[in-house]
Amino acid sequence: MMIDLRSDTVTKPTTAMRRAMAEAEVGDDVYGEDPTVNRLEQCAAEMAGKEAALFVPTGTMGNTIAVKLHTEHGQEVICESRAHVLNYELAMLAWFSGCVARPIFAEGGILRWEQIRREIRPLGPHCAPTGLIEIENTHNMAGGTVYPLDVIREIADGAQDLGLKVHMDGARVFNAAEALGRPVRELVAPVDTVMFCLSKALGAPAGSMLAGTKADMARARLYRKRLGGGMRQAGVLAAPGLIALAEHPALLRRDHENARWLAGELAKIPGIAIDPKKVETNILIFDVSGTGLSTSEFSARVKSRGVLFNGINAREMRIVTHYDVDRDGCKQALDAIQQVAAEATAAAFAD
Ligand code: TLP
């Protein structure tokens, strides 16, 4: 059995989820007649404190629809330079919405209003105007970092004063809520739309939610159809989503504890660099270049010891903790990492 720490997307549906899928009451969701999807959308809207929510197959589709809702062709979308919307969504900003990204690098992935304000552009003879501000919470490639509430509020207030909308890519907003000890609805109250994933740390086999105003979600439904996301008897997927929302937020604390524990142990390994204080949720990003190995070599060597995780560039690797890997699994992963690093550093000295 491999210990799979590549992502929290790899979580398998629980027995309760599989049972709920088998027993789900369904209808045609394109007619709005799937009772389980309707319940999920209502439940998600309540948890997000928004008027309405829409069930979408993926986080990528949720973000794509949100960008389309708030922008016009030929505009810029401000985001952090390591944002998922910019780097991992096949240029959907451009492909579907006709926008370009205006990336800003921010320490820890957390943008501040002051940085954003400097990059906002009006329409001019040379400039494309800003159409939308996008923030990612938690920030995946910055290591699962969490937006402080006052920073979200400041960004949303500043944007509102200028008539701009804010979308939160909250793929892991439940992890942010757990880390802050605040309900999700409080974190997303200041933003216009939020997308969050059921299929990541919350453990559902598929699906994400987009939440916002009733009017925006009515338009979003049409964009979802255009993108091929009208899913008919989708209740079989919504049913595990309801369990994910009801039961799995409470499990995230354990994932965060495992991540912090792993970070503390990794920091002790010669050749590996990580600041455990920066690990706030379930994502660890650490530098293995001190071992003399490339990240692809490092992942190949841990894989041969039964552990999976990958590089995000030539020096840094990412581990994501989740409910399918308990503390014992994390210990086994740590053993493998210790062995690989020790062998590599010993070989480097022998050279
Ligand atoms: N993230 C995946 C990969 O695409 C990198 C992962 O393994 O972490 N926003 C954020 C912040 C995400 O991390 C992801 C997926 C998405 C959006 C997209 O969700 P899906 O995969 O459902 O399209």
Side-chain angles (χ1 to χ4, degrees):
M1 255 269 285
M2 297 297 269
I3 294 170
D4 194 345
L5 295 165
R6 286 172 299 174
S7 182
D8 46 10
T9 58
V10 303
T11 44
K12 304 266 177 25
T14 59
T15 310
M17 285 179 178
R18 288 174 191 269
R19 195 171 300 128
M21 293 174 82
E23 292 167 2
E25 215 188 323
V26 296
D28 191 324
D29 181 49
V30 173
Y31 293 104
E33 289 172 2
D34 188 304
T36 313
V37 171
N38 292 344
R39 268 203 298 138
L40 176 66
E41 291 180 345
Q42 204 177 343
C43 170
E46 273 162 28
M47 289 180 92
K50 300 289 182 202
E51 284 175 12
L54 184 71
F55 185 42
V56 287
T58 63
T60 300
M61 192 188 286
N63 283 337
T64 298
I65 293 171
V67 172
K68 184 72 185 160
L69 282 176
H70 301 308
T71 59
E72 290 169 14
H73 273 226
Q75 292 189 324
E76 290 191 349
V77 175
I78 290 183
C79 60
E80 207 275 332
S81 55
R82 289 159 288 174
H84 199 277
V85 279
L86 170 59
N87 298 298
Y88 299 94
E89 298 187 7
L90 290 122
M92 281 303 270
L93 287 179
W95 196 83
F96 192 59
S97 297
C99 291
V100 291
R102 170 64 53 187
I104 307 174
F105 178 81
E107 198 54 45
I110 306 299
L111 289 165
R112 309 282 153 160
W113 170 245
E114 213 24 57
Q115 286 175 291
I116 294 173
R117 195 188 53 77
R118 286 197 294 268
E119 297 294 341
I120 289 173
R121 279 144 215 253
L123 179 62
H126 304 291
C127 297
T130 305
L132 175 69
I133 297 162
E134 190 267 358
I135 58 177
E136 189 172 310
N137 193 22
T138 66
H139 194 306
N140 186 353
M141 290 300 161
T145 47
V146 178
Y147 266 87
L149 248 172
D150 57 330
V151 175
I152 303 173
R153 288 198 189 112
E154 205 187 8
I155 291 172
D157 287 349
Q160 200 180 19
D161 287 347
L162 300 176
L164 286 169
K165 295 284 168 69
V166 180
H167 170 64
M168 183 187 288
D169 174 350
R172 297 183 179 84
V173 76
F174 281 85
N175 294 82
E178 164 58 36
L180 293 174
R182 311 299 310 170
V184 163
R185 68 167 67 78
E186 220 173 290
L187 275 61
V188 307
V191 301
D192 296 283
T193 46
V194 59
M195 181 285 290
F196 58 88
C197 295
L198 305 169
S199 61
K200 304 216 159 47
L202 297 183
S208 294
M209 306 304 303
L210 180 66
T213 63
K214 264 196 185 130
D216 276 347
M217 291 309 105
R219 287 173 60 222
R221 195 170 287 275
L222 303 179
Y223 290 130
R224 183 184 69 175
K225 190 69 168 62
R226 283 200 166 100
L227 286 164
M231 291 189 293
R232 309 296 177 183
Q233 286 75 43
V236 290
L237 289 175
L242 277 161
I243 295 177
L245 286 182
E247 293 172 18
H248 287 238
L251 307 180
L252 300 178
R253 175 195 293 251
R254 216 192 45 183
D255 300 345
H256 295 184
E257 284 165 2
N258 284 337
R260 268 196 299 275
W261 176 80
L262 257 178
E265 296 302 314
L266 291 183
K268 297 177 193 160
I269 302 176
I272 292 187
I274 180 168
D275 181 352
K277 286 197 295 297
K278 293 191 175 156
V279 176
E280 298 176 69
T281 57
N282 68 331
I283 301 180
L284 302 91
I285 292 190
F286 52 99
D287 190 325
V288 297
S289 58
T291 63
L293 295 178
S294 68
T295 49
S296 50
E297 185 57 31
F298 207 101
S299 44
R301 292 193 189 188
V302 288
K303 186 175 179 185
S304 70
R305 290 168 167 82
V307 178
L308 295 176
F309 61 86
N310 290 325
I312 58 166
N313 54 48
R315 305 165 67 94
E316 292 176 303
M317 309 198 72
R318 182 182 77 147
I319 280 180
V320 187
T321 57
H322 54 79
Y323 73 73
D324 276 343
V325 178
D326 60 11
R327 182 61 66 90
D328 278 346
C330 291
K331 284 185 180 152
Q332 285 177 54
L334 177 69
D335 281 348
I337 298 168
Q338 280 167 336
Q339 285 169 25
V340 169
E343 274 175 26
T345 37
F349 270 116
D351 282 347

